[in-house]
Amino acid sequence: MVTATKDMQLISHLMRRAGFGVGLPELESLAQNGYNETVNRLLKPTNVQEMTDDLIRRYHHEQSGMMGQNNPGAYWLYKMITTTDPLTEKMALFWHGIFATGYPKITQGKVLNDQIRMFRRYGTGNFRTLLLELSKDPAMIVWLDNHDNHDGAINENFGRELLELFSMGVGNYSEQDIKETARAFTGWTIGNTEYMALRAERDSIWPYGRIAWHFEFKEDDHDSGEKEFLGNTGRLNGDEIIDIICQQESTARFISRHMYHFFVADEPPVPQWPYTPPRDPKAIDTLTQAYFDNDYDIRAMLDILFNSEFFKSEDSWHERVKSPAELVAGILRLTGEFDRPRREILDRSTQAIYMGQHLINPPSVEGWHQGTEWIDTGTLVERLNFASQQMSNVENPGVAEIIGRVIGDGSHQADDSLVQRCLDEMGVTSVSEGTRSILENFAAQNRDLENDATQIVAQMLQMVAATHEFQRA
Amino acid sequence: MTTRTRQFMKYSHTIGLSTMSGRGFYYPVDTAIGEDDRLYTVSRSLDGDPRGIRVTIYDLASEYFGTFGESGEDDGQMIWPTGVARDTQGRTFVSDEFTNRITVFDVDGDFSHSWGKMGSGAGELDGPSGVAFDRDQNLLVVDHHNHRVQRYSQNGIFLSEFGSFGSANGELNLPWGITASSKGDIYVADWRNDRIQQFSPDGEYLASFGRSGRDDGELFRPSSVAVDPDGYVYVADWGNERVQIFDPDGGFVQSIRGEATDSKWAEAFLEINLEEAAARDRANMEPEIKFFNDDPHEESSHIEKYFWAPTSLKLDSEGRMYVTESNRHRVQIYDKA
């Protein structure tokens, strides 16, 4: 029986939150370097390995051309399950949930996928740079109508959401600030605006498929007049508006609370934030200070977060409900099914849709509500069925390897060692007495049925996949 | 600049339109040139949608003659069609790298027979991709996950094989396209090794050319290869989104990035969609864009005339070159300069 050390338990917790979880062999490998070094390697990955684009595109032509709405999610799932740099993918998920754009209005997957790639490039860097890139992102421009924001005829949509949903939050600016922001972003549009917007509106794939979009600044459509924004006056352009936004404490607190919500523990939905104080105000203070101390550097904030006591606390282990993307990716990393591109990837990503998360198609500009809101009677059944089916499929190479290891050292021969070993193999480092009791009773009953060793282990893996603890990070 | 060095081939015209049924293609992957001067382009479509998979029949003048084949795993159906070849009897042979079989359609496009099952033993298949007939009219099949080429009679009887996994001369790594020259030599697009390999008619290694890279004469994930009677080698340099031509000694001759114009089928679409046509006319279809990486896949996604995912390159008896582009749902045609 493997007895996880406290450091191993902490690393497992870290990898569930900052990644998609780890199985026992990877945990043992990480533990050789310790918790601090694991954090360092997450924050500064080197020699990143993943399933490469050329390999994916050869087999999945729609994951290359990306005309439609489902294959970008399948492509992203490949990245999540094969990368050795899981934090970058988690941060892409994090920003996708905040800067939410969706297919119904954009009507082409390539442009939305380009935004996700932008999150990969800038999602752990400087927040000012990220906001600037977001403001130039073609999907965001069309999603929030900034291509209709003209000198002398402003459209406030992007300006409003930039302040309300992407940085400071409600209550920290005036309606006039929104108008001035909109003026500052006039002329920030996409190239060939008329043709591209018309094609998007008509969902046109003719004559030769989609044409990807690119940012264009149209100086002759930019309002270069004097503006006043949050007490600052001048001929402000969009990048100067972002400078001012990033200087605000409200921005630092807003981003910090999002980080806490995503990595530590559930916060209420964003619309309630003006009226509901943070769950842990000191943690938000700590992250806010990290934001200013490090020139808005996201990576530095994550470093502080992952090394904080509020993150490491045992009280939060296995308490945050995994999002469908996290759950599916974590399971597929364990099963090892996608050692090469396979047609089944689309089905696997579709399972996340059944569980309530259609990547690149969030329900609204607010993204998805996280935490326990992932769970209802329908999605719970989908989650349990998917996890159980995948982990009990002995054809999956990762499952076969787990079974081989469990049987190999005899852990399957006693009920308690079988339970503990399967928990360890699946990255569950602590369980309630109730869960353990249920699993051990199942082990005993199952053994009475004279199942063979492979069946005994596979069925225990199936049971662990359905536990409260495995379904949570 | 879309074409560098001396002009060996010059652009003629484009055939294509993105459609999920009837006249047009949907993620086309390969084109066969029939003895009847008709072209047979197989569309792979997208995963999760039964529409779009078919073989489209048309000719050089863009006249459309119909389709055959459909999505599925039953006889005459396909899931991941990859390669197509025509025999001298007018039959169409399609490889399917998901069902691991070769399906044969008769001269009317009806199902004739099929063979193949998953495995790595002699005659078994794991991802059949490129197909071509050898000088004896036996079918060469690139068995790509097994990193080899297998030869079958037209009825599917296994005859021989060559190639194994690796990067040494004669070894293969996920090969894709294949052709046989008029002399009978066999050329394989050794995809993951970024090279073309030449084998004798019996499968003995003869030569290799191309090396990994994006400069002239270098290759990145070549998908398809054709050879003219003079020994010039034409390569669909898929990962570089271009075509490259080499002389018989492997010397670089020409690089073509793509010059597509509106096809007749595209013109017909635009004639009845006037608002889109007008907006298209006013658009700058070759904008200057700063890309974040050097992958030409990005440039091709923005500039429509460039090749985007050229999966197949074929030559006809007149020396014309046909380049099938899966992401642009069309075939670009070039003549000898």
Side-chain angles (χ1 to χ4, degrees), chain B residues 202-214:
Chain B
D202 295 330
E204 291 174 15
Y205 171 78
L206 295 177
S208 170
F209 51 92
R211 61 179 185 279
S212 187
R214 300 201 185 280

Side-chain angles (χ1 to χ4, degrees), chain A residues 150-180:
Chain A
H150 304 290
D151 182 12
I154 59 170
N155 182 310
E156 300 174 4
N157 216 1
F158 175 71
R160 180 180 299 279
E161 303 305 4
L162 176 64
L163 305 184
E164 178 181 332
L165 294 176
F166 303 162
S167 59
M168 293 188 287
V170 169
N172 296 295
Y173 51 85
S174 67
E175 284 296 308
Q176 188 58 32
D177 288 324
I178 293 171
K179 293 186 191 318
E180 297 292 80

Side-chain angles (χ1 to χ4, degrees), chain A residues 272-319:
Chain A
Q272 296 178 35
W273 287 8
Y275 320 107
T276 310
R279 178 183 183 131
D280 183 348
K282 285 185 179 176
I284 304 303
D285 289 345
T286 300
L287 294 173
T288 298
Q289 193 62 45
Y291 172 90
F292 286 116
D293 287 349
N294 295 281
D295 191 26
Y296 323 143
D297 186 65
I298 301 298
R299 188 177 285 104
M301 294 175 74
L302 290 169
D303 196 1
I304 298 287
L305 188 152
F306 294 144
N307 284 297
S308 69
E309 290 307 314
F310 60 78
F311 175 77
K312 294 179 178 178
S313 169
E314 285 184 43
D315 293 342
S316 70
W317 294 2
H318 296 297
E319 284 303 324

Side-chain angles (χ1 to χ4, degrees), chain A residues 106-284:
Chain A
I106 307 300
T107 66
Q108 66 159 301
K110 174 72 170 61
V111 171
L112 289 155
N113 185 61
D114 287 349
Q115 185 182 75
I116 303 304
R117 292 194 305 178
M118 184 271 285
F119 293 154
R120 290 194 186 102
R121 290 196 300 281
Y122 300 107
T124 54
N126 181 279
F127 185 64
R128 180 188 178 280
T129 305
L130 178 62
L131 270 192
L132 197 56
E133 292 297 325
L134 183 74
S135 305
K136 295 177 179 177
D137 183 81
M140 183 56 74
I141 286 169
V142 173
W143 177 246
L144 292 178
D145 305 313
N146 213 54
H147 61 297
D148 283 334
N149 183 24
H150 304 290
D151 182 12
I154 59 170
N155 182 310
E156 300 174 4
N157 216 1
F158 175 71
R160 180 180 299 279
E161 303 305 4
L162 176 64
L163 305 184
E164 178 181 332
L165 294 176
F166 303 162
S167 59
M168 293 188 287
V170 169
N172 296 295
Y173 51 85
S174 67
E175 284 296 308
Q176 188 58 32
D177 288 324
I178 293 171
K179 293 186 191 318
E180 297 292 80
T181 300
R183 287 180 61 208
F185 279 100
T186 50
W188 293 50
T189 187
I190 60 170
N192 294 319
T193 312
E194 178 200 14
Y195 186 39
M196 297 306 149
L198 184 64
R199 284 170 60 97
E201 188 181 302
R202 296 184 171 192
D203 194 10
S204 176
I205 57 168
W206 303 286
Y208 301 139
R210 311 284 194 198
I211 300 171
W213 301 344
H214 63 280
F215 172 72
E216 188 171 287
F217 176 63
K218 291 184 176 169
E219 193 159 9
D220 60 357
D221 195 25
H222 175 66
D223 179 347
S224 57
E226 189 162 283
K227 308 167 188 79
E228 182 178 349
F229 176 68
L230 295 176
N232 298 272
T233 305
R235 296 180 183 277
L236 303 173
N237 202 331
D239 49 356
E240 291 157 315
I241 293 288
I242 288 172
D243 281 341
I244 297 166
I245 287 172
C246 289
Q247 294 163 7
Q248 307 304 308
E249 183 171 335
S250 56
T251 297
R253 291 195 170 278
F254 190 78
I255 297 305
S256 296
R257 196 165 182 184
H258 267 300
M259 274 190 185
Y260 183 91
H261 179 45
F262 190 80
F263 287 107
V264 184
D266 288 349
E267 288 283 319
V270 173
Q272 296 178 35
W273 287 8
Y275 320 107
T276 310
R279 178 183 183 131
D280 183 348
K282 285 185 179 176
I284 304 303

